[in-house]
Amino acid sequence: MADTAARLYLITPVLEDSSFAPQLSEACGTGAVAAILLRLAPADERTLTNQVKALAPAAQEHGAAVIVTTDAKADLATIAARGGADGVHIAGDPSLVRELRERLKAERALGVGAIRTKDDAMTFGEAGVDYLLFGEPRPDGSLPSLESVVERAAWWAEIFETPCVAYAPSLEAIEPLAATNAEFVALGDAVWSHPNGPAAAVKAAAEILERQEASR
C-alpha cells in the first residue's frame, strides 16, 4: 500500500504544435506535478521528435517527467530518445508492450492505458510496464464510471507492486481516487480548462491530495 500521498500526473489535450509550452510551464511550475503525458497529433517521426524537443523542457525544468504518446504509426521509442522524453505510453497491446520494454530497457518509463479487463491489467504488469493508467477518456471522449475506476484502482493498488494512475475527470473526483492508494492521480481538462488557469487547478488538486493523506 502507498504510504505517501498520491502524486499528480497531467494529460495534455492532443497537441499539433509546440504552442502548448506556456501552459505546461505554468502547471509544472507549481512543483506539484510528477509527470506529464504529451498526447501528440499524428505526424511524421521528425515532426513528432521536434515537438517533443520543444515541449519537454517546459515540464522537465520544473521536475516533471515527460511521457509521450501518439496515434500515429510512429516509432515511439525513437521519438522519445531523440526528443529527450522520459518515457512512452501506449494503448493496451501486449505484443507492443513486450517489444517496447525490450527496446527501452531501464532507460525510459513505459506506461499503458486503454486497459479493458483485470486479466489485461495483469498481463501488462507481468510484461514489465512501469505504470498502468485506469479510467482515462475513451477514443470517443466517453468515460467509464467513477465507481468502476475506483474499484479497479483499489484492486490493483492492494495486490500489485507496479504503480497505477487513476484518471480524475474533475477535481471533485480526486479524493475518492486517492483513497484507493493509487500512486498517481491523473488530470486532463480539469486542469487545462480551469477558469483560473492551470497553476490554480494544480494547486487545488495538490491540496486535496494532502488533505486526503492527512486524514488517513
Side-chain angles (χ1 to χ4, degrees), residues 51-126:
Q51 249 187 292
V52 176
K53 284 181 180 175
L55 288 164
Q60 290 167 333
E61 67 189 13
H62 299 295
V66 171
I67 314 295
V68 294
T69 192
T70 182
D71 289 337
K73 298 294 183 192
D75 184 346
L76 270 176
T78 298
I79 291 164
R82 291 181 179 166
D86 301 288
V88 304
H89 179 94
I90 62 167
D93 178 341
S95 60
L96 186 54
V97 164
R98 284 187 281 271
E99 178 204 327
L100 281 170
R101 181 73 288 164
E102 203 167 286
R103 292 182 57 206
L104 294 166
K105 301 185 170 59
E107 293 165 23
R108 287 185 169 79
L110 172 59
V112 65
I115 301 162
R116 291 185 297 276
T117 67
K118 289 183 175 181
D119 281 346
D120 286 349
M122 290 187 282
T123 297
F124 296 129
E126 288 162 5

Side-chain angles (χ1 to χ4, degrees), residues 114-194:
I115 301 162
R116 291 185 297 276
T117 67
K118 289 183 175 181
D119 281 346
D120 286 349
M122 290 187 282
T123 297
F124 296 129
E126 288 162 5
V129 299
D130 293 291
Y131 70 83
L132 287 82
L133 171 61
F134 296 123
E136 76 275 25
R138 303 181 183 104
D140 66 0
S142 65
L143 285 165
S145 71
L146 182 60
E147 292 76 14
S148 69
V149 181
V150 166
E151 187 274 332
R152 184 67 55 90
W155 163 75
W156 184 267
E158 184 175 356
I159 301 172
F160 301 98
E161 292 291 321
T162 303
C164 73
V165 184
Y167 181 84
S170 65
L171 294 180
E172 292 73 26
I174 293 173
E175 191 171 344
L177 290 169
T180 66
N181 286 318
E183 285 82 0
F184 300 91
V185 172
L187 289 166
D189 287 348
V191 166
W192 313 119
S193 302
H194 194 280

